[in-house]
Amino acid sequence: MAVFRPECVLVTGGAGFIGSNYLRHMVTAHPNTRFITIDALTYAGNRTNLAGIEGASNFRFVHADITDADAVAQLFAHEPINAVVHFAAESHVDRSIASARSFVHTNVEGTRVLLDAARHAWAQVRRRTCRFHHISTDEVFGALGPEGVFTEETPYAPRSPYAASKAAADHLVRAWSVTHGLPAVITNTSNNYGPYQNPEKLIPLVISRALAGLPVPVYGKGEQVRDWLYVEDHVDALERVLLRGEIGRTYLIGAGQEVRNIDLVEQLLDTVDAQLDRPPQSSRRLITFVTDRPGHDFRYALDCSRMEEELGWTARHAIGGGLEKTVSWYLANTDWIQYAHKKLTQPTT
Ligand SMILES: NC(=O)c1ccc[n+]([C@@H]2O[C@H](COP(=O)([O-])OP(=O)(O)OC[C@H]3O[C@@H](n4cnc5c(N)ncnc54)[C@H](O)[C@@H]3O)[C@@H](O)[C@H]2O)c1
């Protein structure tokens, strides 16, 4: 399979959790490729997440909104962009339940703007010299019972407003691919965790509340099951898909490590206790069960054999090792937690 060698990659949402982990790796690993990120710096985007690469000669940050068609068109007009890796999104399910407006605006209309910009910019060039990589979630497939896994053929059945907006974006990408011949790939990934994740998400929330000795909320009885993927493993998978993935294909990315929420929270609290030299299991007393999220999906699990067979990828981090690395990072970066918390409560800049 020919390896795709992008000249200039437009990465959307690069100041967020996964986008910043992706850029830190890619900017360093591919010094001859230019990386431009466009990010609106919503409550979830922190430019400090990119501090390590801000000075790199092959990196540029652009503060703009992906729904701003003129700003996006300007980028395509002035930069030799031949790949788009699209992370930018409203990403928190609970917020989408409170109000879906920004989710539809960014996740659906923002994706449409990028697809149209890429389509026009790449109209005269050969299909194999460009690539639109859309980053999506396994939540588009709905929820599983105790058995079974999602495959690339599983019909879409999103259940939360967030998942519905991501499903809509996936459909737009496929439609542009079929109707306009846009060279696109889609990846649908399970729950990520690791450094730089916003403290409103489960794992950093548990760590920061345990540090402060505050109650740790767990939805329902904590029986939901998720497949947790360490973000570095996700980045490794995304790099392979961009460079060697087949146009028109969907790839499912997961760690194959299903854990009940309550077991995850207990393991995480035990890891915090161990790293802070607290008595073993002492933080478990902080667990507080709260009313379940409406429509809370019971279980997600993915068949990732395509990633393994075609791109030689499997997740390298077992959950225990990934949690240890994650807890160490948050303990060493309490300033970052405070800054991200502050941004959560401030209006968008
Ligand atoms: N985190 C996960 O577990 C997970 C799992 C599967 C898929 N995904 C997908 O991966 C992508 C990244 O997720 P994340 O957890 O890093 O999200 P995040 O919320 O941490 O980051 C989102 C980034 O997008 C930016 N952004 C939001 N709206 C924008 C707009 N209109 N214009 C420009 N920038 C905008 C934000 O400022 C932020 O930097 C999303 O598309 C998400 O759906 C995430």
Side-chain angles (χ1 to χ4, degrees), residues 12-19 38-46 64-67 86-92 106 135-138 162 166 189-193 196-198 200-201 234:
T12 72
F17 163 47
I18 305 174
I38 174 171
D39 198 300
L41 297 178
T42 67
Y43 79 93
N46 291 322
D65 197 304
I66 57 162
T67 62
H86 178 29
F87 293 96
E90 287 293 337
S91 69
H92 192 37
T106 287
I135 312 296
S136 189
T137 166
D138 58 358
Y162 161 69
K166 292 296 290 185
T189 308
S190 63
N191 285 46
N192 279 222
Y193 68 101
Y196 297 97
Q197 185 166 31
N198 195 289
E200 69 182 355
K201 302 284 172 60
H234 188 196

mmCIF file of all heavy atoms in Angstrom, residues 12-19 38-46 64-67 86-92 106 135-138 162 166 189-193 196-198 200-201 234, ligand 1:
data_model
loop_
_atom_site.group_PDB
_atom_site.id
_atom_site.type_symbol
_atom_site.label_atom_id
_atom_site.label_comp_id
_atom_site.label_asym_id
_atom_site.label_seq_id
_atom_site.Cartn_x
_atom_site.Cartn_y
_atom_site.Cartn_z
ATOM 1 N N THR A 12 -7.902 20.496 12.900
ATOM 2 C CA THR A 12 -8.901 21.328 13.584
ATOM 3 C C THR A 12 -8.979 20.909 15.050
ATOM 4 O O THR A 12 -8.793 19.735 15.369
ATOM 5 C CB THR A 12 -10.294 21.201 12.928
ATOM 6 O OG1 THR A 12 -10.829 19.915 13.249
ATOM 7 C CG2 THR A 12 -10.237 21.386 11.412
ATOM 8 N N GLY A 13 -9.219 21.870 15.930
ATOM 9 C CA GLY A 13 -9.372 21.540 17.357
ATOM 10 C C GLY A 13 -8.085 21.085 18.012
ATOM 11 O O GLY A 13 -8.105 20.286 18.965
ATOM 12 N N GLY A 14 -6.944 21.628 17.557
ATOM 13 C CA GLY A 14 -5.649 21.176 18.062
ATOM 14 C C GLY A 14 -5.332 21.607 19.480
ATOM 15 O O GLY A 14 -4.384 21.107 20.078
ATOM 16 N N ALA A 15 -6.123 22.530 20.046
ATOM 17 C CA ALA A 15 -5.850 22.949 21.427
ATOM 18 C C ALA A 15 -6.648 22.125 22.440
ATOM 19 O O ALA A 15 -6.580 22.369 23.641
ATOM 20 C CB ALA A 15 -6.168 24.436 21.594
ATOM 21 N N GLY A 16 -7.417 21.157 21.940
ATOM 22 C CA GLY A 16 -8.195 20.303 22.839
ATOM 23 C C GLY A 16 -7.379 19.105 23.301
ATOM 24 O O GLY A 16 -6.172 19.022 23.083
ATOM 25 N N PHE A 17 -8.056 18.183 23.931
ATOM 26 C CA PHE A 17 -7.389 17.025 24.549
ATOM 27 C C PHE A 17 -6.674 16.152 23.504
ATOM 28 O O PHE A 17 -5.447 16.064 23.478
ATOM 29 C CB PHE A 17 -8.446 16.246 25.344
ATOM 30 C CG PHE A 17 -8.085 14.846 25.724
ATOM 31 C CD1 PHE A 17 -6.837 14.554 26.295
ATOM 32 C CD2 PHE A 17 -8.989 13.800 25.531
ATOM 33 C CE1 PHE A 17 -6.518 13.247 26.652
ATOM 34 C CE2 PHE A 17 -8.672 12.511 25.893
ATOM 35 C CZ PHE A 17 -7.439 12.229 26.442
ATOM 36 N N ILE A 18 -7.427 15.533 22.611
ATOM 37 C CA ILE A 18 -6.793 14.583 21.687
ATOM 38 C C ILE A 18 -5.971 15.337 20.641
ATOM 39 O O ILE A 18 -4.864 14.931 20.280
ATOM 40 C CB ILE A 18 -7.837 13.663 21.018
ATOM 41 C CG1 ILE A 18 -8.687 12.952 22.075
ATOM 42 C CG2 ILE A 18 -7.139 12.625 20.142
ATOM 43 C CD1 ILE A 18 -9.844 12.129 21.528
ATOM 44 N N GLY A 19 -6.518 16.473 20.157
ATOM 45 C CA GLY A 19 -5.813 17.244 19.132
ATOM 46 C C GLY A 19 -4.426 17.673 19.592
ATOM 47 O O GLY A 19 -3.458 17.622 18.826
ATOM 48 N N ILE A 38 -6.378 25.053 13.503
ATOM 49 C CA ILE A 38 -7.404 26.082 13.663
ATOM 50 C C ILE A 38 -8.223 25.690 14.883
ATOM 51 O O ILE A 38 -8.707 24.552 14.980
ATOM 52 C CB ILE A 38 -8.280 26.229 12.394
ATOM 53 C CG1 ILE A 38 -9.438 27.202 12.621
ATOM 54 C CG2 ILE A 38 -8.800 24.912 11.890
ATOM 55 C CD1 ILE A 38 -10.204 27.547 11.340
ATOM 56 N N ASP A 39 -8.329 26.624 15.818
ATOM 57 C CA ASP A 39 -9.064 26.323 17.048
ATOM 58 C C ASP A 39 -9.748 27.597 17.547
ATOM 59 O O ASP A 39 -9.135 28.660 17.570
ATOM 60 C CB ASP A 39 -8.109 25.758 18.118
ATOM 61 C CG ASP A 39 -8.859 25.045 19.224
ATOM 62 O OD1 ASP A 39 -9.689 25.700 19.901
ATOM 63 O OD2 ASP A 39 -8.648 23.837 19.407
ATOM 64 N N ALA A 40 -11.006 27.483 17.948
ATOM 65 C CA ALA A 40 -11.763 28.645 18.426
ATOM 66 C C ALA A 40 -11.481 28.933 19.904
ATOM 67 O O ALA A 40 -11.992 29.924 20.441
ATOM 68 C CB ALA A 40 -13.252 28.407 18.216
ATOM 69 N N LEU A 41 -10.696 28.062 20.557
ATOM 70 C CA LEU A 41 -10.409 28.194 21.997
ATOM 71 C C LEU A 41 -11.697 28.374 22.807
ATOM 72 O O LEU A 41 -11.898 29.382 23.477
ATOM 73 C CB LEU A 41 -9.424 29.346 22.256
ATOM 74 C CG LEU A 41 -8.037 29.167 21.634
ATOM 75 C CD1 LEU A 41 -7.136 30.370 21.901
ATOM 76 C CD2 LEU A 41 -7.351 27.895 22.148
ATOM 77 N N THR A 42 -12.570 27.405 22.692
ATOM 78 C CA THR A 42 -13.762 27.379 23.538
ATOM 79 C C THR A 42 -13.311 27.036 24.957
ATOM 80 O O THR A 42 -12.103 26.905 25.210
ATOM 81 C CB THR A 42 -14.742 26.281 23.058
ATOM 82 O OG1 THR A 42 -14.127 25.009 23.302
ATOM 83 C CG2 THR A 42 -15.086 26.436 21.580
ATOM 84 N N TYR A 43 -14.267 26.823 25.861
ATOM 85 C CA TYR A 43 -13.906 26.459 27.237
ATOM 86 C C TYR A 43 -12.997 25.215 27.237
ATOM 87 O O TYR A 43 -12.215 25.006 28.171
ATOM 88 C CB TYR A 43 -15.196 26.178 28.053
ATOM 89 C CG TYR A 43 -15.748 24.807 27.759
ATOM 90 C CD1 TYR A 43 -15.394 23.715 28.535
ATOM 91 C CD2 TYR A 43 -16.580 24.592 26.650
ATOM 92 C CE1 TYR A 43 -15.855 22.447 28.228
ATOM 93 C CE2 TYR A 43 -17.036 23.339 26.332
ATOM 94 C CZ TYR A 43 -16.667 22.265 27.125
ATOM 95 O OH TYR A 43 -17.103 21.012 26.812
ATOM 96 N N ALA A 44 -13.084 24.390 26.183
ATOM 97 C CA ALA A 44 -12.345 23.118 26.164
ATOM 98 C C ALA A 44 -10.965 23.238 25.529
ATOM 99 O O ALA A 44 -10.174 22.300 25.577
ATOM 100 C CB ALA A 44 -13.149 22.057 25.408
ATOM 101 N N GLY A 45 -10.676 24.380 24.909
ATOM 102 C CA GLY A 45 -9.400 24.523 24.210
ATOM 103 C C GLY A 45 -8.436 25.387 25.007
ATOM 104 O O GLY A 45 -8.783 26.485 25.441
ATOM 105 N N ASN A 46 -7.242 24.892 25.220
ATOM 106 C CA ASN A 46 -6.217 25.643 25.955
ATOM 107 C C ASN A 46 -4.974 25.735 25.089
ATOM 108 O O ASN A 46 -4.373 24.708 24.758
ATOM 109 C CB ASN A 46 -5.837 24.925 27.262
ATOM 110 C CG ASN A 46 -6.965 24.963 28.259
ATOM 111 O OD1 ASN A 46 -7.668 25.957 28.381
ATOM 112 N ND2 ASN A 46 -7.161 23.863 28.956
ATOM 113 N N ALA A 64 -9.387 30.685 15.171
ATOM 114 C CA ALA A 64 -10.576 30.930 14.348
ATOM 115 C C ALA A 64 -11.562 29.784 14.547
ATOM 116 O O ALA A 64 -11.206 28.729 15.090
ATOM 117 C CB ALA A 64 -10.189 31.038 12.875
ATOM 118 N N ASP A 65 -12.775 30.037 14.089
ATOM 119 C CA ASP A 65 -13.869 29.085 14.261
ATOM 120 C C ASP A 65 -14.048 28.299 12.959
ATOM 121 O O ASP A 65 -14.045 28.902 11.882
ATOM 122 C CB ASP A 65 -15.149 29.903 14.575
ATOM 123 C CG ASP A 65 -16.229 29.040 15.169
ATOM 124 O OD1 ASP A 65 -16.605 28.033 14.538
ATOM 125 O OD2 ASP A 65 -16.698 29.374 16.279
ATOM 126 N N ILE A 66 -14.224 26.994 13.067
ATOM 127 C CA ILE A 66 -14.384 26.200 11.828
ATOM 128 C C ILE A 66 -15.689 26.509 11.107
ATOM 129 O O ILE A 66 -15.843 26.172 9.939
ATOM 130 C CB ILE A 66 -14.281 24.670 12.068
ATOM 131 C CG1 ILE A 66 -15.309 24.198 13.109
ATOM 132 C CG2 ILE A 66 -12.867 24.265 12.436
ATOM 133 C CD1 ILE A 66 -15.554 22.693 13.080
ATOM 134 N N THR A 67 -16.642 27.146 11.789
ATOM 135 C CA THR A 67 -17.893 27.498 11.096
ATOM 136 C C THR A 67 -17.749 28.811 10.325
ATOM 137 O O THR A 67 -18.672 29.218 9.614
ATOM 138 C CB THR A 67 -19.070 27.623 12.089
ATOM 139 O OG1 THR A 67 -18.782 28.688 13.005
ATOM 140 C CG2 THR A 67 -19.291 26.337 12.851
ATOM 141 N N HIS A 86 -9.690 16.271 11.289
ATOM 142 C CA HIS A 86 -10.773 17.072 11.873
ATOM 143 C C HIS A 86 -11.189 16.573 13.261
ATOM 144 O O HIS A 86 -11.982 15.643 13.395
ATOM 145 C CB HIS A 86 -11.948 17.029 10.895
ATOM 146 C CG HIS A 86 -13.168 17.757 11.357
ATOM 147 N ND1 HIS A 86 -13.127 18.844 12.204
ATOM 148 C CD2 HIS A 86 -14.485 17.553 11.080
ATOM 149 C CE1 HIS A 86 -14.363 19.260 12.434
ATOM 150 N NE2 HIS A 86 -15.195 18.495 11.772
ATOM 151 N N PHE A 87 -10.615 17.243 14.294
ATOM 152 C CA PHE A 87 -10.963 16.931 15.689
ATOM 153 C C PHE A 87 -11.997 17.894 16.257
ATOM 154 O O PHE A 87 -12.711 17.541 17.198
ATOM 155 C CB PHE A 87 -9.730 17.070 16.599
ATOM 156 C CG PHE A 87 -8.630 16.087 16.386
ATOM 157 C CD1 PHE A 87 -7.542 16.392 15.584
ATOM 158 C CD2 PHE A 87 -8.654 14.850 17.022
ATOM 159 C CE1 PHE A 87 -6.506 15.492 15.411
ATOM 160 C CE2 PHE A 87 -7.620 13.936 16.858
ATOM 161 C CZ PHE A 87 -6.540 14.266 16.043
ATOM 162 N N ALA A 88 -12.011 19.151 15.776
ATOM 163 C CA ALA A 88 -12.795 20.200 16.461
ATOM 164 C C ALA A 88 -14.246 19.777 16.637
ATOM 165 O O ALA A 88 -14.910 19.389 15.676
ATOM 166 C CB ALA A 88 -12.723 21.501 15.672
ATOM 167 N N ALA A 89 -14.715 19.854 17.854
ATOM 168 C CA ALA A 89 -16.103 19.474 18.131
ATOM 169 C C ALA A 89 -16.472 19.933 19.530
ATOM 170 O O ALA A 89 -15.609 20.179 20.366
ATOM 171 C CB ALA A 89 -16.257 17.953 18.054
ATOM 172 N N GLU A 90 -17.760 20.063 19.747
ATOM 173 C CA GLU A 90 -18.277 20.078 21.111
ATOM 174 C C GLU A 90 -18.337 18.613 21.502
ATOM 175 O O GLU A 90 -18.910 17.793 20.761
ATOM 176 C CB GLU A 90 -19.673 20.712 21.158
ATOM 177 C CG GLU A 90 -19.662 22.212 20.969
ATOM 178 C CD GLU A 90 -18.999 22.965 22.124
ATOM 179 O OE1 GLU A 90 -18.945 22.418 23.241
ATOM 180 O OE2 GLU A 90 -18.526 24.090 21.909
ATOM 181 N N SER A 91 -17.734 18.259 22.653
ATOM 182 C CA SER A 91 -17.474 16.833 22.888
ATOM 183 C C SER A 91 -18.079 16.258 24.169
ATOM 184 O O SER A 91 -17.887 15.075 24.441
ATOM 185 C CB SER A 91 -15.957 16.609 22.909
ATOM 186 O OG SER A 91 -15.378 17.211 24.055
ATOM 187 N N HIS A 92 -18.790 17.062 24.945
ATOM 188 C CA HIS A 92 -19.235 16.532 26.241
ATOM 189 C C HIS A 92 -20.739 16.196 26.228
ATOM 190 O O HIS A 92 -21.579 17.090 26.085
ATOM 191 C CB HIS A 92 -18.930 17.549 27.338
ATOM 192 C CG HIS A 92 -19.084 16.986 28.719
ATOM 193 N ND1 HIS A 92 -18.735 15.694 29.042
ATOM 194 C CD2 HIS A 92 -19.551 17.533 29.860
ATOM 195 C CE1 HIS A 92 -18.993 15.481 30.323
ATOM 196 N NE2 HIS A 92 -19.482 16.575 30.840
ATOM 197 N N THR A 106 -21.304 23.480 15.621
ATOM 198 C CA THR A 106 -19.896 23.121 15.381
ATOM 199 C C THR A 106 -19.766 21.755 14.704
ATOM 200 O O THR A 106 -19.077 21.609 13.696
ATOM 201 C CB THR A 106 -19.113 23.125 16.713
ATOM 202 O OG1 THR A 106 -18.937 24.483 17.121
ATOM 203 C CG2 THR A 106 -17.748 22.483 16.566
ATOM 204 N N ILE A 135 -12.474 12.599 12.573
ATOM 205 C CA ILE A 135 -12.337 11.898 13.856
ATOM 206 C C ILE A 135 -13.725 11.777 14.490
ATOM 207 O O ILE A 135 -14.348 12.785 14.823
ATOM 208 C CB ILE A 135 -11.419 12.683 14.823
ATOM 209 C CG1 ILE A 135 -10.118 13.115 14.142
ATOM 210 C CG2 ILE A 135 -11.174 11.879 16.094
ATOM 211 C CD1 ILE A 135 -9.212 12.012 13.684
ATOM 212 N N SER A 136 -14.165 10.545 14.659
ATOM 213 C CA SER A 136 -15.501 10.369 15.228
ATOM 214 C C SER A 136 -15.462 9.390 16.409
ATOM 215 O O SER A 136 -14.404 8.971 16.859
ATOM 216 C CB SER A 136 -16.474 9.901 14.142
ATOM 217 O OG SER A 136 -17.793 9.934 14.643
ATOM 218 N N THR A 137 -16.637 9.066 16.874
ATOM 219 C CA THR A 137 -16.776 8.305 18.119
ATOM 220 C C THR A 137 -17.554 7.001 17.897
ATOM 221 O O THR A 137 -18.373 6.920 16.960
ATOM 222 C CB THR A 137 -17.542 9.177 19.149
ATOM 223 O OG1 THR A 137 -17.955 8.356 20.230
ATOM 224 C CG2 THR A 137 -18.790 9.811 18.560
ATOM 225 N N ASP A 138 -17.349 6.040 18.793
ATOM 226 C CA ASP A 138 -18.149 4.809 18.717
ATOM 227 C C ASP A 138 -19.588 5.052 19.168
ATOM 228 O O ASP A 138 -20.459 4.198 18.957
ATOM 229 C CB ASP A 138 -17.501 3.684 19.547
ATOM 230 C CG ASP A 138 -17.319 4.025 21.020
ATOM 231 O OD1 ASP A 138 -17.649 5.151 21.439
ATOM 232 O OD2 ASP A 138 -16.836 3.149 21.764
ATOM 233 N N TYR A 162 -25.113 14.664 21.498
ATOM 234 C CA TYR A 162 -23.711 14.661 21.056
ATOM 235 C C TYR A 162 -23.503 13.587 19.994
ATOM 236 O O TYR A 162 -22.972 13.861 18.900
ATOM 237 C CB TYR A 162 -22.782 14.401 22.254
ATOM 238 C CG TYR A 162 -21.386 13.939 21.857
ATOM 239 C CD1 TYR A 162 -20.496 14.802 21.213
ATOM 240 C CD2 TYR A 162 -20.962 12.628 22.116
ATOM 241 C CE1 TYR A 162 -19.223 14.372 20.841
ATOM 242 C CE2 TYR A 162 -19.688 12.196 21.739
ATOM 243 C CZ TYR A 162 -18.826 13.069 21.102
ATOM 244 O OH TYR A 162 -17.576 12.640 20.721
ATOM 245 N N LYS A 166 -22.425 13.924 15.956
ATOM 246 C CA LYS A 166 -21.248 13.276 15.363
ATOM 247 C C LYS A 166 -21.685 12.327 14.239
ATOM 248 O O LYS A 166 -21.010 12.222 13.204
ATOM 249 C CB LYS A 166 -20.470 12.495 16.431
ATOM 250 C CG LYS A 166 -19.800 13.354 17.491
ATOM 251 C CD LYS A 166 -18.721 14.270 16.957
ATOM 252 C CE LYS A 166 -17.479 13.551 16.488
ATOM 253 N NZ LYS A 166 -16.413 14.502 16.076
ATOM 254 N N THR A 189 -13.821 5.997 17.485
ATOM 255 C CA THR A 189 -12.963 5.574 18.598
ATOM 256 C C THR A 189 -13.730 5.501 19.909
ATOM 257 O O THR A 189 -14.687 6.248 20.130
ATOM 258 C CB THR A 189 -11.793 6.583 18.732
ATOM 259 O OG1 THR A 189 -11.181 6.712 17.472
ATOM 260 C CG2 THR A 189 -10.771 6.128 19.733
ATOM 261 N N SER A 190 -13.237 4.634 20.787
ATOM 262 C CA SER A 190 -13.834 4.491 22.122
ATOM 263 C C SER A 190 -13.337 5.608 23.049
ATOM 264 O O SER A 190 -12.573 6.469 22.633
ATOM 265 C CB SER A 190 -13.468 3.120 22.693
ATOM 266 O OG SER A 190 -12.068 3.049 22.854
ATOM 267 N N ASN A 191 -13.740 5.553 24.315
ATOM 268 C CA ASN A 191 -13.382 6.600 25.292
ATOM 269 C C ASN A 191 -11.870 6.704 25.466
ATOM 270 O O ASN A 191 -11.211 5.708 25.731
ATOM 271 C CB ASN A 191 -13.951 6.246 26.667
ATOM 272 C CG ASN A 191 -15.437 6.469 26.732
ATOM 273 O OD1 ASN A 191 -16.169 6.075 25.827
ATOM 274 N ND2 ASN A 191 -15.888 7.097 27.799
ATOM 275 N N ASN A 192 -11.368 7.919 25.336
ATOM 276 C CA ASN A 192 -9.932 8.186 25.530
ATOM 277 C C ASN A 192 -9.673 8.702 26.946
ATOM 278 O O ASN A 192 -10.555 9.285 27.566
ATOM 279 C CB ASN A 192 -9.468 9.297 24.588
ATOM 280 C CG ASN A 192 -9.173 8.832 23.171
ATOM 281 O OD1 ASN A 192 -8.199 9.241 22.585
ATOM 282 N ND2 ASN A 192 -10.002 7.970 22.612
ATOM 283 N N TYR A 193 -8.440 8.518 27.400
ATOM 284 C CA TYR A 193 -8.011 9.151 28.648
ATOM 285 C C TYR A 193 -6.513 9.421 28.561
ATOM 286 O O TYR A 193 -5.819 8.844 27.711
ATOM 287 C CB TYR A 193 -8.348 8.273 29.868
ATOM 288 C CG TYR A 193 -7.551 7.004 29.939
ATOM 289 C CD1 TYR A 193 -6.456 6.881 30.786
ATOM 290 C CD2 TYR A 193 -7.870 5.915 29.127
ATOM 291 C CE1 TYR A 193 -5.705 5.717 30.840
ATOM 292 C CE2 TYR A 193 -7.125 4.753 29.171
ATOM 293 C CZ TYR A 193 -6.048 4.651 30.024
ATOM 294 O OH TYR A 193 -5.309 3.504 30.053
ATOM 295 N N TYR A 196 -3.890 16.160 29.622
ATOM 296 C CA TYR A 196 -4.551 17.305 28.978
ATOM 297 C C TYR A 196 -6.034 17.089 28.713
ATOM 298 O O TYR A 196 -6.618 17.788 27.896
ATOM 299 C CB TYR A 196 -3.850 17.682 27.652
ATOM 300 C CG TYR A 196 -2.419 18.132 27.806
ATOM 301 C CD1 TYR A 196 -1.367 17.241 27.600
ATOM 302 C CD2 TYR A 196 -2.107 19.437 28.166
ATOM 303 C CE1 TYR A 196 -0.041 17.638 27.741
ATOM 304 C CE2 TYR A 196 -0.784 19.852 28.306
ATOM 305 C CZ TYR A 196 0.235 18.940 28.090
ATOM 306 O OH TYR A 196 1.544 19.333 28.231
ATOM 307 N N GLN A 197 -6.661 16.122 29.384
ATOM 308 C CA GLN A 197 -8.110 15.956 29.179
ATOM 309 C C GLN A 197 -8.856 16.901 30.104
ATOM 310 O O GLN A 197 -8.508 17.035 31.286
ATOM 311 C CB GLN A 197 -8.534 14.507 29.442
ATOM 312 C CG GLN A 197 -10.013 14.268 29.110
ATOM 313 C CD GLN A 197 -10.380 12.804 29.045
ATOM 314 O OE1 GLN A 197 -9.794 11.976 29.745
ATOM 315 N NE2 GLN A 197 -11.369 12.472 28.229
ATOM 316 N N ASN A 198 -9.880 17.541 29.580
ATOM 317 C CA ASN A 198 -10.616 18.540 30.352
ATOM 318 C C ASN A 198 -11.185 17.938 31.640
ATOM 319 O O ASN A 198 -11.775 16.848 31.605
ATOM 320 C CB ASN A 198 -11.750 19.109 29.488
ATOM 321 C CG ASN A 198 -12.293 20.379 30.081
ATOM 322 O OD1 ASN A 198 -12.959 20.358 31.097
ATOM 323 N ND2 ASN A 198 -11.963 21.498 29.468
ATOM 324 N N GLU A 200 -13.762 18.184 33.182
ATOM 325 C CA GLU A 200 -15.189 17.845 33.262
ATOM 326 C C GLU A 200 -15.423 16.378 32.866
ATOM 327 O O GLU A 200 -16.509 15.840 33.099
ATOM 328 C CB GLU A 200 -16.028 18.757 32.359
ATOM 329 C CG GLU A 200 -15.806 18.531 30.881
ATOM 330 C CD GLU A 200 -16.603 19.473 29.983
ATOM 331 O OE1 GLU A 200 -17.418 20.262 30.490
ATOM 332 O OE2 GLU A 200 -16.402 19.405 28.758
ATOM 333 N N LYS A 201 -14.408 15.724 32.275
ATOM 334 C CA LYS A 201 -14.552 14.331 31.835
ATOM 335 C C LYS A 201 -14.200 13.368 32.967
ATOM 336 O O LYS A 201 -13.425 13.724 33.867
ATOM 337 C CB LYS A 201 -13.674 14.072 30.611
ATOM 338 C CG LYS A 201 -13.969 14.986 29.417
ATOM 339 C CD LYS A 201 -15.231 14.590 28.683
ATOM 340 C CE LYS A 201 -15.676 15.559 27.603
ATOM 341 N NZ LYS A 201 -14.762 15.815 26.522
ATOM 342 N N HIS A 234 -4.188 6.056 20.821
ATOM 343 C CA HIS A 234 -5.092 6.614 19.813
ATOM 344 C C HIS A 234 -4.296 7.403 18.773
ATOM 345 O O HIS A 234 -4.501 7.266 17.562
ATOM 346 C CB HIS A 234 -6.146 7.497 20.501
ATOM 347 C CG HIS A 234 -7.246 7.969 19.599
ATOM 348 N ND1 HIS A 234 -8.084 8.991 19.924
ATOM 349 C CD2 HIS A 234 -7.625 7.579 18.359
ATOM 350 C CE1 HIS A 234 -8.941 9.192 18.948
ATOM 351 N NE2 HIS A 234 -8.688 8.353 17.980
HETATM 352 N N1 LIG B 1 -12.401 12.264 24.121
HETATM 353 C C1 LIG B 1 -12.856 11.091 23.723
HETATM 354 O O1 LIG B 1 -12.925 10.131 24.497
HETATM 355 C C2 LIG B 1 -13.280 10.899 22.280
HETATM 356 C C3 LIG B 1 -13.602 9.618 21.832
HETATM 357 C C4 LIG B 1 -13.954 9.452 20.500
HETATM 358 C C5 LIG B 1 -13.982 10.527 19.642
HETATM 359 N N2 LIG B 1 -13.687 11.756 20.104
HETATM 360 C C6 LIG B 1 -13.704 12.881 19.152
HETATM 361 O O2 LIG B 1 -12.391 13.399 19.091
HETATM 362 C C7 LIG B 1 -12.436 14.805 18.857
HETATM 363 C C8 LIG B 1 -11.621 15.534 19.907
HETATM 364 O O3 LIG B 1 -12.158 15.236 21.197
HETATM 365 P P1 LIG B 1 -11.515 15.867 22.500
HETATM 366 O O4 LIG B 1 -11.892 15.005 23.636
HETATM 367 O O5 LIG B 1 -10.107 16.193 22.256
HETATM 368 O O6 LIG B 1 -12.353 17.224 22.586
HETATM 369 P P2 LIG B 1 -12.086 18.549 23.433
HETATM 370 O O7 LIG B 1 -13.423 19.016 23.846
HETATM 371 O O8 LIG B 1 -11.028 18.326 24.462
HETATM 372 O O9 LIG B 1 -11.457 19.563 22.354
HETATM 373 C C9 LIG B 1 -12.217 20.142 21.332
HETATM 374 C C10 LIG B 1 -11.382 21.253 20.709
HETATM 375 O O10 LIG B 1 -12.144 21.797 19.612
HETATM 376 C C11 LIG B 1 -12.145 23.214 19.707
HETATM 377 N N3 LIG B 1 -13.390 23.721 19.105
HETATM 378 C C12 LIG B 1 -14.660 23.524 19.548
HETATM 379 N N4 LIG B 1 -15.527 24.165 18.748
HETATM 380 C C13 LIG B 1 -14.793 24.741 17.753
HETATM 381 C C14 LIG B 1 -15.115 25.525 16.616
HETATM 382 N N5 LIG B 1 -16.393 25.840 16.323
HETATM 383 N N6 LIG B 1 -14.112 25.950 15.817
HETATM 384 C C15 LIG B 1 -12.825 25.657 16.092
HETATM 385 N N7 LIG B 1 -12.463 24.923 17.173
HETATM 386 C C16 LIG B 1 -13.431 24.470 17.995
HETATM 387 C C17 LIG B 1 -12.059 23.514 21.204
HETATM 388 O O11 LIG B 1 -11.579 24.839 21.458
HETATM 389 C C18 LIG B 1 -11.094 22.422 21.664
HETATM 390 O O12 LIG B 1 -9.759 22.846 21.519
HETATM 391 C C19 LIG B 1 -13.908 15.196 18.834
HETATM 392 O O13 LIG B 1 -14.320 15.263 17.493
HETATM 393 C C20 LIG B 1 -14.594 14.048 19.554
HETATM 394 O O14 LIG B 1 -15.914 13.880 19.081
HETATM 395 C C21 LIG B 1 -13.334 11.987 21.409
#
